[in-house]
Amino acid sequence: MATTTPFLLFTVLFFFSLLTSTALSRSVSQTRTTVLDVSSSLQQTLQILSFDPQMLQPFNDETATMSFLNSSFSFSLPLHSRDLVLKTQHEDYKSLLQSRLERDSARVNSLVTKLQLALNNFDRHDLKPLDAQIRPEDLNTPIVSGASQGSGEYFSRIGVGTPPKQFYMVLDTGSDINWLQCQPCTDCYQQSDPIFDPRSSSSYSSLSCDSKQCGSLDVSACRSNNCLYQVSYGDGSYTVGNFATETVSFGNSGSVNGVALGCGHDNEGLFVGSAGLLGLGGGSLSLTNQIKASSFSYCLVDRDSSGSGLLEFNSPQAGDAVTAPLLRNSKVDTFYYVGLTGFSVGGQSVQIPPSLFQMDDSGNGGIIVDCGTAITRLQTQAYSSLRDSFKKLSPNLKSTSGVALFDTCYDFSGMTSVKVPTVSLQFSGGKTLNLPAKNYLIPVDSTGTFCFAFAPTSSSMSIIGNVQQQGTRVSFDLANSHVGFSPNKC
């Protein structure tokens, strides 16, 4: 029987060790990374606390452009973070973040409620009235309890009426109904512009109770043959008033007549600073559908930045856009679903069953793109796999305790920048969108605590939030049913 000499055994072990270490080295070196600019992010947290909205340049009507070509048109408008419209009352960044996250959670809960009502085939007459300070003579029909249309994080400046008056309005892809606060006000929250008075506009026209637009409302009532509307929200806030048509203008260069919108005389809730809301969802009453836009896009700046992005309608999509299928839910036409198949971290695919992001025949599941939700929500199993993959490839990052809904946080105090694994979204057709580090590691205070900006949800529906969309032009090609993501196209 042959025996192995000590020298031969040593040689075999040496080469095995060499091969193993080489393979591990190659594996580490192949991990795709990106750099998080820690100092820049922390500087913005300090600037936003002291930012005075009066420092913003006055709105210039000439910055909004529109051109008419036969029956088509295109226009663009500046887009601002809500914290640049109304001065924050928070003394430190952590309390500002907590306020943002509370709004965000209310929004997510209400979007989920809206979906569940649709999936369970609730008729509007089956819904219980909302307990709110609304007089019976204002609206005496059932109210959609908790069916939110949005909380609002980004504002654009829109003209309403003839002659046009300019207003900051919330943009919301999770909503269809357009509305603004109107005189006379039974109850109006604080807004940065004077409240719209329909008596000062020659183009204001009340809608009758038998109008097509009135019949398309989820909740409507009739008073003296004038259509009344109400939209209620997940946190108990609401808007109530007359449903009418009005001229909506985009600077001095163009306008659209006969846009149906709510003229709210009794309003309360999450919209402080704005005059109202522009619904960009997929329903028949949304602004996009009413102006017959074939596409629209937006670019969201960092909410702590003093810059602005753009809202555009019927603009061409960038040639380098990462595209994915735009899917629709037959149960609810408001939401924009996208064909997401999974994630990768550091260039390595995360082991997540693709079925977790797919919508079934009954309308459950799927993932929507929403500009009003901040933090991306993923089904718990998908979130846990993504988080664990990130933590596995980030052993050298100094971890710290969780904050609010974030369970994965790091201490970057005293650091200027840090190299972190790249997080990427994978779409149907093999397309991949690499996220900048600041789109998934966000500051939660001004001292250097950063958290992994994803969160789990027990809902079957997942949501791609605006933190992950910042700095990326998101284009909705409604005519050809796809969504495009163009990094650095703001």
Side-chain angles (χ1 to χ4, degrees):
M1 180 177 178
T3 59
T4 303
T5 65
F7 175 77
L8 180 59
L9 180 61
F10 172 79
T11 302
V12 171
L13 290 175
F14 173 77
F15 279 104
F16 178 77
S17 175
L18 182 63
L19 289 172
T20 302
S21 62
T22 301
L24 289 174
S25 175
R26 183 180 296 116
S27 176
V28 172
S29 66
Q30 287 178 344
T31 299
R32 183 175 298 170
T33 61
T34 189
V35 174
L36 173 67
D37 190 337
V38 176
S39 59
S40 176
S41 295
L42 294 182
Q43 185 178 14
Q44 285 188 353
T45 66
L46 296 173
Q47 289 176 342
I48 196 66
L49 292 173
S50 60
F51 185 82
D52 185 352
Q54 299 299 323
M55 296 168 57
L56 278 177
Q57 292 292 324
F59 178 77
N60 180 3
D61 288 339
E62 299 303 326
T63 61
T65 60
M66 175 182 283
S67 60
F68 289 88
L69 299 173
N70 298 324
S71 60
S72 64
F73 62 89
S74 64
F75 61 80
S76 62
L77 289 168
L79 198 55
H80 300 280
S81 163
R82 71 178 286 151
D83 292 310
L84 300 184
V85 175
L86 192 70
K87 183 173 176 58
T88 180
Q89 301 300 310
H90 297 278
E91 296 182 357
D92 61 83
Y93 190 80
K94 191 169 186 177
S95 64
L96 172 61
L97 176 84
Q98 294 279 9
S99 175
R100 288 173 171 175
L101 293 180
E102 287 173 4
R103 287 199 308 270
D104 205 44
S105 294
R107 176 182 176 81
V108 170
N109 290 338
S110 54
L111 292 179
V112 170
T113 301
K114 180 180 178 70
L115 175 64
Q116 289 304 313
L117 289 173
L119 296 183
N120 288 306
N121 296 317
F122 273 90
D123 183 84
R124 68 187 67 176
H125 300 296
D126 295 329
L127 302 175
K128 296 180 180 179
L130 175 71
D131 291 329
Q133 296 163 355
I134 304 172
R135 298 170 306 191
E137 61 267 26
D138 289 333
L139 191 70
N140 55 13
T141 56
I143 306 304
V144 180
S145 178
S148 170
Q149 308 301 308
S151 61
E153 293 299 328
Y154 287 89
F155 295 4
S156 192
R157 198 121 170 103
I158 301 291
V160 179
T162 305
K165 302 291 178 61
Q166 301 295 327
F167 298 97
Y168 279 114
M169 303 280 280
V170 170
L171 265 69
D172 189 8
T173 54
S175 165
D176 296 322
I177 309 299
N178 310 287
W179 62 268
L180 80 166
Q181 297 195 114
C182 285
Q183 296 284 8
C185 259
T186 302
D187 186 12
C188 285
Y189 58 78
Q190 180 186 0
Q191 66 179 57
S192 58
D193 301 300
I195 294 173
F196 177 66
D197 189 343
R199 293 168 297 188
S200 67
S201 172
S202 62
S203 51
Y204 179 89
S205 178
S206 296
L207 282 165
S208 64
C209 300
D210 59 357
S211 65
K212 181 179 179 180
Q213 296 97 320
C214 190
S216 297
L217 289 167
D218 285 336
V219 177
S220 63
C222 190
R223 183 171 58 194
S224 302
N225 200 33
N226 290 324
C227 181
L228 303 180
Y229 81 99
Q230 173 164 336
V231 181
S232 57
Y233 297 87
D235 67 338
S237 56
Y238 54 84
T239 174
V240 179
N242 293 89
F243 208 47
T245 60
E246 186 54 285
T247 296
V248 175
S249 58
F250 307 88
N252 284 333
S253 52
S255 61
V256 179
N257 299 324
V259 174
L261 50 77
C263 191
H265 302 293
D266 193 350
N267 319 281
E268 183 176 317
L270 300 170
F271 302 94
V272 173
S274 73
L277 182 145
L278 292 179
L280 302 180
S284 61
L285 291 175
S286 72
L287 182 63
T288 49
N289 268 315
Q290 289 198 61
I291 66 177
K292 295 179 172 56
S294 61
S295 68
F296 74 96
S297 68
Y298 56 75
C299 199
L300 309 177
V301 296
D302 190 313
R303 283 184 298 170
D304 295 330
S305 168
S306 59
S308 63
L310 280 177
L311 167 68
E312 298 183 326
F313 287 82
N314 290 348
S315 59
Q317 189 173 87
D320 60 352
V322 175
T323 59
L326 172 61
L327 310 174
R328 307 306 288 268
N329 190 332
S330 60
K331 296 288 187 176
V332 53
D333 54 11
T334 302
F335 302 145
Y336 297 113
Y337 289 79
V338 65
L340 184 80
T341 58
F343 290 84
S344 65
V345 176
Q348 304 173 23
S349 293
V350 180
Q351 297 303 307
I352 301 175
S355 59
L356 291 183
F357 302 116
Q358 293 174 354
M359 180 169 45
D360 62 25
D361 293 338
S362 63
N364 280 294
I367 184 165
I368 67 172
V369 180
D370 183 39
C371 70
T373 299
I375 307 303
T376 290
R377 292 339 198 259
L378 303 174
Q379 285 194 41
T380 300
Q381 180 184 349
Y383 168 74
S384 297
S385 296
L386 177 63
R387 176 203 59 198
D388 293 348
S389 295
F390 185 83
K391 292 172 68 174
K392 181 180 179 181
L393 294 177
S394 310
N396 296 325
L397 299 183
K398 183 181 179 182
S399 61
T400 187
S401 56
V403 176
L405 55 79
F406 302 124
D407 61 15
T408 302
C409 300
Y410 299 95
D411 180 3
F412 295 152
S413 58
M415 303 179 70
T416 301
S417 62
V418 61
K419 188 176 291 187
V420 298
T422 301
V423 174
S424 305
L425 280 64
Q426 298 175 332
F427 298 106
S428 303
K431 302 292 182 66
T432 298
L433 176 67
N434 299 324
L435 298 177
K438 67 177 183 178
N439 284 24
Y440 53 90
L441 285 169
I442 63 172
V444 295
D445 56 32
S446 298
T447 62
T449 305
F450 283 69
C451 292
F452 192 57
F454 293 85
T457 178
S458 58
S459 168
S460 65
M461 180 180 70
S462 297
I463 305 171
I464 298 176
N466 60 46
V467 167
Q468 282 65 42
Q469 300 176 51
Q470 288 172 172
T472 299
R473 176 155 296 282
V474 183
S475 306
F476 298 85
D477 187 337
L478 306 177
N480 298 301
S481 297
H482 66 252
V483 183
F485 301 88
S486 308
N488 305 312
K489 295 293 183 180
C490 290

